[in-house]
Amino acid sequence: MVRSIVHTAALIASLAFVADARAEGLAPYEITGDGIVDSLTGVPGDAARGRALVLTRTTTCILCHSGPFPETRFQGDLAPDLTGAGNRWTVSQLRLRMVDASRFNPDTIMPSYYRADGLVRVGRNFADKPILSAAEIEDIVAFLATLRD
Amino acid sequence: MILWRAIVLAALVATAPALLAGEIPPDARRSGYFFMGPDTRAMQDDDTSNPGMLFVLDGEALWAKKAGSADKACADCHGDARSSMKGVAARYPAYDKALARPVTLDQRINLCRANHQQAAPLPYESHDILALSAFVAHQSRGVAIAAGDDPQAKPFVEQGRNLFMQREGQLNLACTNCHDDNFEKRLAGSPITQGQPTGYPLYRLEWQTLGSLERRLRSCMTGVRARAYDYGAPELVALELYLMARARGMPMETPAVRP
């Protein structure tokens, strides 16, 4: 209940068409309701590649999350286990969460993976770049959608 | 009853600086030691197995060694460090009147070199500066941290606190997100601690050497993909000062061991 109110408030602010692609190189995307309906690349992602990406440390997901990944002990517990994420969220919601989780919860510690502005003291090698590319996000979204109990 | 409550409330507000949301109450503070496994604890506890003690011994030799064109040793001015340096590191970073800003223990050592020994500064993270600061800070082992009490240091403590709360880097995380809000959790399988500065300079197994608090803070900044402050930068000193003020009353452990 509380969650859905926060949800709604955050979303009202963002209901309008968002051309959040101000930073150069970011594909424009449109937020509809509480998600992004269309693939950022125009084509569906690859779930197998997405799984490999989620498990790569440099992608940072498993620093915080755990999930159905028996092959690695190095999983975080700062965030919900990803098992069943595909039941809890639609593809459209997963895509918006990856692009900008702060739209669901302004205080979240989950980084916005497809954003390159509004950040402080970004390291030289990372400046003006999103953490992940549009194609990587699509692969991860495709993988998350397969996480069903 | 209501009046009584109001008085208690007023008293609380007047004495302790109010904790911001997420800040750790004094009795819940724990050193990084508390989060380590038994092997690493044993290594810190036993001076004969603590690799940091080798640096302390080197520092003791440097303390007595004449340096610079003044041809003076630290000991020529300060005598026996066991008494003259006891409790000193627990008050650092300390406000320097001449410079009108706080200086770290490393910076103080280099100020002594410049002003009293006429010697070149020891580079940050060099063996000799780490050895000297480990030797000096070791004289405070067990002493309660008391940095940041000086009224003139207060604005710098505040600056450090703001930096601690500020999100930064491509991952957009603040120190407080990990070290106040998530210290009971694990980041990719390794424990996050409260980020208490009690043991520096300390021996980190990951580094295979002794390192300063600044080295640690720089690697946390790099970890969130932020541009780390340069060694000795005012922001880094302010962060150190805030960390020490935040650890007020906790005992010094130098040289600590960490994974």
Side-chain angles (χ1 to χ4, degrees), chain A residues 57-58 60 62-64 74-78 107-109 111 115 119-124 126 129-131, chain B residues 166-173 177-178 182 184-189 192 221-222 225-229:
Chain A
R57 271 181 88 117
T58 49
T60 71
I62 58 166
L63 294 185
C64 293
F74 303 107
Q75 308 184 29
D77 65 359
L78 274 73
D107 298 323
T108 189
I109 55 169
R115 165 175 155 193
L119 301 169
V120 174
R121 274 195 88 77
V122 175
R124 284 187 187 82
F126 303 103
K129 288 182 214 151
I131 306 173
Chain B
Q166 153 109 80
R167 292 198 185 222
E168 61 185 352
Q170 195 192 33
L171 302 187
N172 201 27
L173 290 167
N177 292 139
C178 287
N182 283 298
E184 271 149 1
K185 306 273 176 59
R186 285 172 173 266
L187 192 69
I192 299 173
M221 291 189 73
T222 310
R225 304 185 181 177
R227 241 177 324 124
Y229 298 113

Side-chain angles (χ1 to χ4, degrees), chain B residues 12-235:
Chain B
L12 274 178
V13 172
T15 51
L19 291 178
L20 295 182
E23 282 185 303
I24 304 167
D27 59 355
R29 292 173 312 172
R30 300 283 179 273
S31 150
Y33 179 88
F34 180 86
F35 298 79
M36 317 196 295
D39 294 351
T40 326
R41 286 190 187 192
M43 201 181 213
Q44 171 170 330
D45 290 342
D46 177 2
D47 280 350
T48 63
S49 69
N50 181 338
M53 286 308 290
L54 297 173
F55 286 81
V56 170
L57 289 176
D58 289 350
E60 184 167 21
L62 288 171
W63 179 263
K65 191 174 154 204
K66 296 192 187 299
S69 48
D71 202 32
K72 274 193 206 149
C74 316
D76 291 333
C77 292
H78 297 290
D80 185 353
R82 258 165 277 269
S83 46
S84 68
M85 292 294 124
K86 190 176 167 65
V88 169
R91 295 194 299 271
Y92 270 74
Y95 187 80
D96 182 278
K97 288 216 165 48
L99 296 173
R101 59 176 169 81
V103 296
T104 63
L105 186 57
D106 290 2
Q107 290 173 325
R108 166 61 62 216
I109 290 169
N110 273 330
L111 284 168
C112 280
R113 284 179 68 84
N115 300 337
H116 306 301
Q117 296 178 299
Q118 272 97 58
L122 299 169
Y124 285 106
E125 263 6 63
S126 63
H127 178 275
D128 287 5
I129 192 76
L130 290 170
L132 271 170
S133 70
F135 174 66
V136 171
H138 183 59
Q139 310 311 317
S140 297
R141 184 151 80 173
V143 173
I145 290 176
D149 284 355
D150 183 342
Q152 289 175 293
K154 289 286 187 266
F156 299 93
V157 177
E158 200 47 41
Q159 180 195 3
R161 168 141 103 172
N162 291 337
L163 291 169
F164 195 83
M165 303 297 164
Q166 153 109 80
R167 292 198 185 222
E168 61 185 352
Q170 195 192 33
L171 302 187
N172 201 27
L173 290 167
C175 317
T176 185
N177 292 139
C178 287
H179 294 296
D180 285 333
D181 299 341
N182 283 298
F183 61 79
E184 271 149 1
K185 306 273 176 59
R186 285 172 173 266
L187 192 69
S190 46
I192 299 173
T193 74
Q194 297 179 350
Q196 300 292 0
T198 46
Y200 288 84
L202 57 68
Y203 190 90
R204 202 167 250 282
L205 300 174
E206 183 199 330
W207 296 337
Q208 298 277 299
T209 184
L210 207 73
S212 69
L213 180 54
E214 296 198 18
R215 177 169 180 186
R216 178 66 247 183
L217 304 192
R218 283 168 49 86
S219 55
C220 281
M221 291 189 73
T222 310
V224 300
R225 304 185 181 177
R227 241 177 324 124
Y229 298 113
D230 291 334
Y231 282 103
E235 292 91 345

